[in-house]
Structure formats: C-alpha cells, structure tokens
Amino acid sequence: MKKITAGIPAAAIVASLFLFSCNSGSDKKAEPEVMPGESDTVETVDTLLNSETISFFNHSGYSDYARSRLKNFDWSRFKLVDTWKDDSLMKSEFKPDNYYFERYGKFLKYSPDSSLFIDLDSYNTIIEIENGKLTGFEEGPDTEISLVDPSKKEKTRLIFLGPGGSVDEGGWLDKETLVLIGMQYNDEGTSAKPMIWKYHLPTSTFYLYESPDSVDVETQLDSWRKERLKGVELK
C-alpha cells in the first residue's frame, strides 16, 4: 500500500501521483500531469468536495436527509484528510446464490455501463423473502463494502470497518470513480464524524474527506440506511 497524507508539499505529491491545487473555492483541482512512461489515465485531486460529488448526494436524497437532521450541515465543511493508493485489495470469487439478485438487486449500485456494481449490504444484512416480502436481519456490527465484477465472477473488498464505523450510501460519479459516505465513531461510541471515501479505479487510489461536525449516534444511527433499504423490514 502506498500512502500519502494530505498536507504534504505539492512537489512531493507530484513526484508520486498528483499535486494539490492552490486554487480557492469548492472545486480546488490540481493540473493533470503525466510522467514519461506512465498511463494516459490522469486523476486530479479535489481538496474540497467537487460539484459532481455534491450533485450525486443531492440526487440520491442524502443531502435533504442530512440537512433535516444535522444543524447547519454544509458539504463545504468536508476536507481532504488522507490519500492512499492500494493495488492489493482483497479479492475473492463472487458466487451468489440463486436468490441473491432477487433479494439485493434493487439496492446494488451499478456503474454507468452496468459492468460493475457496489454491494453495500450483503455482508452484514441478511435479506430473506418471507410471504412475498423482504425481511432483513443484522448479521453483525462490522461493515464490508464490495466492488463486484460479474463478468469475472470477482469481488473486491473496498472498505472494511469494525463496530466503530459505518457506510450508509454509495454510488458512481462516473465510470471510473465511486463515492461512499458514512461515519467514524469516537472511542466512547456516543458521537461520530461524517466521512466520505472516493475511489478512482484506474489508479487504485482512495481519497478520504472528513467533516469536523459531530453526529449524535443515539439519534442518527441507521436512520438513513432504513430509508435507503425502503421495502425491507429490518429486524
């Protein structure tokens, strides 16, 4: 795993994959640079959330949800806090049972060309069909988010969190970039900070954004997830 922490001088970052932007505003971006012999695929860095990311959460309904529950919620408060490249993500064979797509299909997040999808739920939520209705059972406190390539019958673990974190929503910004939003709890488990992970497939690069605002876990935990899994009776 190659790791670069936000805040490293721009020159050092250029020497690896990219440079940070010195521009102000909500769409700070670095100028693309291709080193000799490197791939033509170039990824720029947004030190704040760009308009595409904010638009995604607006269209998913998550923005309205967050603003209705968190005082003074503002996407501009998310800042890039970490960046790392990981080209050794855990992979496993994708072997769905005969009812997988019937149970989880409408909750899978497909890429624009439908060749890949993000599985947010099957690791820790067992969805069954009972009397024609979907019923969900919590499997455990851990969270695993997977990227699935059905043509290769391959599953890649993108994110794994213990009881101290969660991922609530996810989707695609374009055919090469996906985004996830969740929370990381404090040591006491009483509050959490909202976090956003962006992943660029061609370069296997993660970008982690964090808001300084705290969420009251007692009142907010799982409320959006229940909305996203509408139609499933969670027990």
Side-chain angles (χ1 to χ4, degrees):
M1 176 186 293
K2 185 174 184 179
K3 187 168 184 178
I4 304 171
T5 302
I8 291 177
I13 299 177
V14 168
S16 53
L17 294 174
F18 48 81
L19 57 83
F20 282 121
S21 169
C22 295
N23 296 330
S24 59
S26 62
D27 286 343
K28 294 184 178 180
K29 291 188 176 181
E31 291 298 325
E33 178 166 330
V34 180
M35 303 301 288
E38 289 186 349
S39 167
D40 290 338
T41 300
V42 178
E43 172 69 348
T44 58
V45 176
D46 302 302
T47 57
L48 301 177
L49 294 181
N50 61 22
S51 58
E52 290 80 9
T53 304
I54 296 172
S55 178
F56 167 80
F57 288 118
N58 286 340
H59 283 91
S60 72
Y62 194 89
S63 291
D64 292 338
Y65 159 81
R67 292 192 181 100
S68 71
R69 288 161 172 78
L70 305 178
K71 185 178 180 181
N72 300 322
F73 180 86
D74 189 343
W75 290 114
S76 70
R77 291 178 62 76
F78 283 85
K79 304 293 194 298
L80 182 70
V81 296
D82 204 0
T83 306
W84 67 94
K85 180 176 180 179
D86 192 343
D87 52 11
S88 60
L89 294 171
M90 182 183 297
K91 298 180 183 295
S92 59
E93 185 178 3
F94 175 61
K95 299 187 296 183
D97 62 32
N98 294 334
Y99 302 99
Y100 174 85
F101 288 101
E102 185 177 357
R103 292 175 293 155
Y104 295 98
K106 66 180 180 179
F107 307 117
L108 302 175
K109 307 294 184 177
Y110 281 88
S111 60
D113 62 2
S114 298
S115 63
L116 306 171
F117 63 80
I118 307 166
D119 183 343
L120 299 172
D121 303 296
S122 68
Y123 181 82
N124 68 343
T125 302
I126 304 302
I127 297 179
E128 302 288 355
I129 302 174
E130 297 182 352
N131 299 320
K133 297 182 179 180
L134 297 177
T135 302
F137 302 90
E138 294 293 334
E139 182 72 1
D142 297 335
T143 298
E144 178 179 291
I145 308 301
S146 296
L147 176 65
V148 178
D149 185 336
S151 66
K152 294 182 179 179
K153 297 183 178 180
E154 183 177 81
K155 180 171 68 173
T156 301
R157 174 188 282 181
L158 292 175
I159 301 289
F160 184 85
L161 302 172
S166 69
V167 175
D168 303 312
E169 181 61 280
W172 297 82
L173 302 184
D174 53 53
K175 65 180 181 180
E176 297 183 338
T177 310
L178 58 87
V179 63
L180 306 165
I181 189 167
M183 299 185 294
Q184 186 68 42
Y185 308 150
N186 62 12
D187 292 340
E188 293 75 27
T190 57
S191 66
K193 287 187 176 181
M195 309 187 82
I196 291 173
W197 297 263
K198 288 174 67 175
Y199 180 66
H200 186 239
L201 277 68
T203 59
S204 304
T205 304
F206 287 90
Y207 305 93
L208 179 63
Y209 296 81
E210 182 181 293
S211 170
D213 299 320
S214 292
V215 178
D216 183 347
V217 174
E218 291 297 325
T219 58
Q220 305 302 331
L221 184 59
D222 281 344
S223 52
W224 170 254
R225 187 163 167 275
K226 291 177 181 177
E227 178 68 21
R228 183 173 60 76
L229 294 178
K230 185 177 291 185
V232 178
E233 183 182 355
L234 296 174
K235 296 183 176 180

